[in-house]
Amino acid sequence: MGKNRLAASSGGDSFLVWSPAGDRIAYTGWDPAGWYRNVWSINTDGSDPAQLTFFAVAETHGSYSPDGQKIVCTQYRNDSRTDILVMDADGSNIAPLLSSGHNGGAD
């Protein structure tokens, strides 16, 4: 059985998770400029890669909701805060769900 490269970036893709329907994979990959880690999704055959987050900080560890309609991820901000974001599975309607304090304490 051959191997297919699924991710669009040049390397370092990680934290792959299957959608509940089994038709897409969410993963952490580099933005096109190679500066920030963002959440992406892609069809299981490698087509239709979509960058879902576009912030100038790192977003990682995407995970689908049980119905596949939402994705949550961790955002590591430059001010040492860590947020949990939620978005529609296509990356729209992104919003903070939880924000931590500077030393890991929840706000």
Side-chain angles (χ1 to χ4, degrees), residues 16-104:
L16 286 77
V17 293
W18 289 83
S19 67
D23 58 339
R24 291 195 64 85
I25 297 171
Y27 64 96
T28 300
W30 291 99
D31 71 343
W35 290 98
Y36 301 104
R37 310 258 301 151
N38 296 115
V39 177
W40 294 69
S41 70
I42 195 165
N43 287 334
T44 57
D45 66 0
S47 65
D48 193 28
Q51 184 176 350
L52 304 181
T53 60
F54 296 87
F55 298 103
V57 295
E59 290 95 23
T60 65
H61 298 85
S63 184
Y64 284 94
S65 62
D67 65 4
Q69 299 298 306
K70 301 281 185 185
I71 294 176
V72 297
C73 70
T74 305
Q75 181 183 65
Y76 299 97
R77 294 174 22 175
N78 294 331
D79 62 0
S80 300
R81 296 173 71 97
T82 302
D83 296 338
I84 305 296
L85 305 178
V86 63
M87 67 191 100
D88 292 345
D90 65 1
S92 62
N93 299 313
I94 193 164
L97 186 63
L98 178 69
S99 179
S100 72
H102 285 279
N103 293 314

